[in-house]
């Protein structure tokens, strides 16, 4: 009887000890991403967890988020403490280009005559956090008579900086609305024709810059032809495309009404009008 009692007591104690041990509820997963740069194989080890499986961190630097790997373009999000005056973002996209060939995003946009469409997307699309949590409502378009229409900006085929200055001079937009950090972007996705970039904004919408973790806007554009083999490889998981851009809103059916009068076209101000 005594031996039976001791056995039961021991079993109960062991069961309690097992139950008392903490059970990991958020296991860390490690995997290796492989790609090549001009025929040279590359690898990086990243970690993720079940709560946020899309959020990859570098294994050797857990506070650095991986964003994209496309050929020589390696983009991450790095975090910093704001200075005493809150003069810089506390989250910054860092894009390393492992190539002797330099790439300037604004120069490419200008050279390929995409300044108007890209700036129109920056002005009409939502601002998003580094985690790709985006505003639920699109920005309101200014209705003042001197303000150009979205269609007029889309049709612009000049330089991006010139267009930005013109828009600020009209008083319809601010530097914070048109400004981007051209060297801070990640390559988010590719549909075989156009590429989606997440471009970091120059200014935060929040007036308190010290609390700003960095904001991005997603824009679609035609990539350089030299990117296409790298994009194809990344799409086939020889590299990494995060695909964090919000899906386009589904069109809604509206009740049939009498055709509305065509909107009044508001062209861009000419250089002579400035």
């Amino acid at each position: 009887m005594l031996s039976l009692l001791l056995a039961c007591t021991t079993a109960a104690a062991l069961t309690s000890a097992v139950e008392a041990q903490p059970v990991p509820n958020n296991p860390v997963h490690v995997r290796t991403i492989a790609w090549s740069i001009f025929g040279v194989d590359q690898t990086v080890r990243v970690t993720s967890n079940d709560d946020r499986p899309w959020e990859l961190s570098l294994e050797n630097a857990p506070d650095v988020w991986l964003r994209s790997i496309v050929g020589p373009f390696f983009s991450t999000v790095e975090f910093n403490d704001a200075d005493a005056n809150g003069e810089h973002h506390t989250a910054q996209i860092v894009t390393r280009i492992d190539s002797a060939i330099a790439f300037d995003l604004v120069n490419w946009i200008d050279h390929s005559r995409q300044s108007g469409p890209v700036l129109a997307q920056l002005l009409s699309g939502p601002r998003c956090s580094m985690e790709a949590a985006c505003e639920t409502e699109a920005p309101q378009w200014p209705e003042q008579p001197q303000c150009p229409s979205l269609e007029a900006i889309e049709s612009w085929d000049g330089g991006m900086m010139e267009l930005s200055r013109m828009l600020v001079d009209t008083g319809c937009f601010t530097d914070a609305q048109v400004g981007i950090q051209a060297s801070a972007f990640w390559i988010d996705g590719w549909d075989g024709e156009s590429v989606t970039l997440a471009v970091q904004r120059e200014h935060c919408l929040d007036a308190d810059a010290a609390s700003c973790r960095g904001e991005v806007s997603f824009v679609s554009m035609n990539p350089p032809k030299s990117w296409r083999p790298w994009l194809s490889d990344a799409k086939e998981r020889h590299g990494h495309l995060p695909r964090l851009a919000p899906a386009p809103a589904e069109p809604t059916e509206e009740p049939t009404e009498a055709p509305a009068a065509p909107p009044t076209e508001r062209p861009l101000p000419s250089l002579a009008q400035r």
Side-chain angles (χ1 to χ4, degrees), residues 31-37 40-46 56 66-75 187-189 227 229-243:
R31 67 185 177 95
T32 300
I33 297 176
W35 76 104
S36 63
I37 303 174
V40 179
D41 292 338
Q42 310 283 332
T43 61
V44 64
R45 286 170 62 85
V46 295
L56 306 180
L66 175 67
R67 273 299 174 255
S68 64
I69 304 174
V70 178
F73 294 91
F74 189 98
S75 299
I187 302 172
D188 193 70
W227 286 20
W230 304 328
L231 289 165
S232 296
D233 286 346
K235 193 173 182 180
E236 298 300 324
R237 299 185 180 277
H238 200 58
H240 181 63
L241 292 171
R243 300 179 179 88

Side-chain angles (χ1 to χ4, degrees), residues 28-155:
V28 174
H29 307 285
V30 182
R31 67 185 177 95
T32 300
I33 297 176
W35 76 104
S36 63
I37 303 174
F38 304 111
V40 179
D41 292 338
Q42 310 283 332
T43 61
V44 64
R45 286 170 62 85
V46 295
T47 64
S48 63
N49 58 55
D50 291 338
D51 286 347
R52 299 170 62 85
W54 64 88
E55 198 65 80
L56 306 180
S57 298
L58 303 187
E59 185 186 35
N60 61 353
D63 293 332
V64 177
W65 296 350
L66 175 67
R67 273 299 174 255
S68 64
I69 304 174
V70 178
F73 294 91
F74 189 98
S75 299
T76 58
V77 172
E78 299 183 5
F79 295 88
N80 302 287
D81 294 330
D83 59 26
N85 299 318
E87 293 295 337
H88 66 268
H89 296 298
T90 56
Q92 176 74 28
I93 301 173
V94 177
T95 297
R96 186 182 77 220
I97 305 177
D98 296 319
S99 171
I101 303 173
F103 176 78
D104 186 291
L105 179 60
V106 171
N107 281 349
W108 165 251
I109 292 173
D110 287 353
H111 175 74
S112 58
R113 297 185 178 275
Q114 300 183 83
S115 301
V118 167
L119 194 52
Q121 292 176 73
L122 293 173
L123 293 173
S124 62
R127 301 275 283 255
C128 305
S129 69
M130 289 295 180
E131 296 91 340
C134 301
E135 297 171 328
T136 56
E137 297 182 1
Q140 291 187 342
W141 198 260
E143 296 294 337
Q144 294 91 327
Q146 78 275 18
C147 298
S149 65
L150 178 63
E151 293 76 17
I153 295 176
E154 289 175 332
S155 65

Side-chain angles (χ1 to χ4, degrees), residues 238-263:
H238 200 58
H240 181 63
L241 292 171
R243 300 179 179 88
L244 297 176
E250 293 289 338
T252 57
E253 294 185 4
E254 298 181 357
T256 304
E257 298 179 356

Side-chain angles (χ1 to χ4, degrees), residues 168-242:
V168 172
D169 288 347
T170 64
C172 304
F173 302 96
T174 65
D175 288 328
Q177 290 174 296
V178 301
I180 63 171
Q181 298 185 47
S183 61
F185 66 90
W186 77 70
I187 302 172
D188 193 70
W190 187 56
D191 63 7
E193 292 296 332
S194 62
V195 65
T196 301
L197 303 183
V199 183
Q200 184 158 347
R201 303 310 300 261
E202 185 69 30
H203 304 276
C204 290
L205 291 178
D206 191 337
D208 183 5
S211 68
C212 177
R213 290 166 59 85
E215 294 171 345
V216 299
S217 288
F218 291 95
V219 297
S220 294
M221 54 177 278
N222 294 324
K225 290 183 178 179
S226 60
W227 286 20
R228 292 180 177 270
W230 304 328
L231 289 165
S232 296
D233 286 346
K235 193 173 182 180
E236 298 300 324
R237 299 185 180 277
H238 200 58
H240 181 63
L241 292 171

